[in-house]
Amino acid sequence: TSTTVSINSLKPFTEYTVSVSAENGVSGLAGSPESRTVSMTFTTQEAAPGPIDSGVNIKDAVLSWDPPSEPNGVILYYEVRIYPEGSSGEAMTYKTNETSFDANSIDGLEPGRYSVQVRAVTTAGAGDYTEPVTVEVTGSPSSGSGLAI
């Protein structure tokens, strides 16, 4: 006779140990309960990370955020997206391994208001972007852009 058990609702990228004990109920000859138990440890697969709950903070043109509370795997990098406020046009994206990004490293932004969003990425995919944060670029591309809130 075969018996199948399904375990549902496991969290991604989490280690679990499952133990199974056999008992026939006919005699006590099977030995101790420990000798009738088999255990198996496994780690569930990675999933796309949860959201960056903290949102994006800006101070002196440096964007910063906290890692997702549910990384669901190893964070490979963070993706920073910047685009003209209110635009559905092409966004510029940058990758960083840190939980911060110096926006002064962005070359060629024209003066104006921009939206910035961040998301985390694992081998299983990308999480959701944060809510947009608005920044204002002052100065001109030739003189070096300055970023302000």
Side-chain angles (χ1 to χ4, degrees):
T1 305
S2 92
T3 303
T4 302
V5 175
S6 294
I7 304 172
N8 300 314
S9 302
L10 299 178
K11 291 185 176 188
F13 202 62
T14 302
E15 185 176 282
Y16 291 93
T17 300
V18 176
S19 299
V20 178
S21 295
E23 187 172 317
N24 67 14
V26 176
S27 72
L29 298 177
S32 68
E34 293 81 21
S35 69
R36 298 185 310 248
T37 301
V38 176
S39 295
M40 179 178 84
T41 300
F42 62 94
T43 301
T44 53
Q45 292 182 330
E46 290 189 23
I52 296 172
D53 300 322
S54 65
V56 178
N57 301 305
I58 303 171
K59 182 175 182 185
D60 297 328
V62 175
L63 311 170
S64 64
W65 54 89
D66 292 329
S69 57
E70 295 181 8
N72 296 335
V74 176
I75 301 296
L76 299 176
Y77 59 89
Y78 295 93
E79 187 176 87
V80 179
R81 176 168 74 171
I82 184 167
Y83 53 93
E85 185 180 40
S87 168
S88 58
E90 187 90 11
M92 294 175 281
T93 57
Y94 302 89
K95 293 178 183 178
T96 179
N97 295 323
E98 306 297 326
T99 54
S100 63
F101 179 77
D102 186 349
N104 286 317
S105 66
I106 301 172
D107 289 328
L109 285 179
E110 295 291 333
R113 294 173 66 84
Y114 292 85
S115 294
V116 177
Q117 295 176 289
V118 178
R119 67 180 177 183
V121 179
T122 67
T123 58
D128 294 334
Y129 277 110
T130 58
E131 288 295 317
V133 173
T134 301
V135 296
E136 186 168 344
V137 174
T138 58
S140 67
S142 60
S143 66
S145 296
L147 203 64
I149 297 177

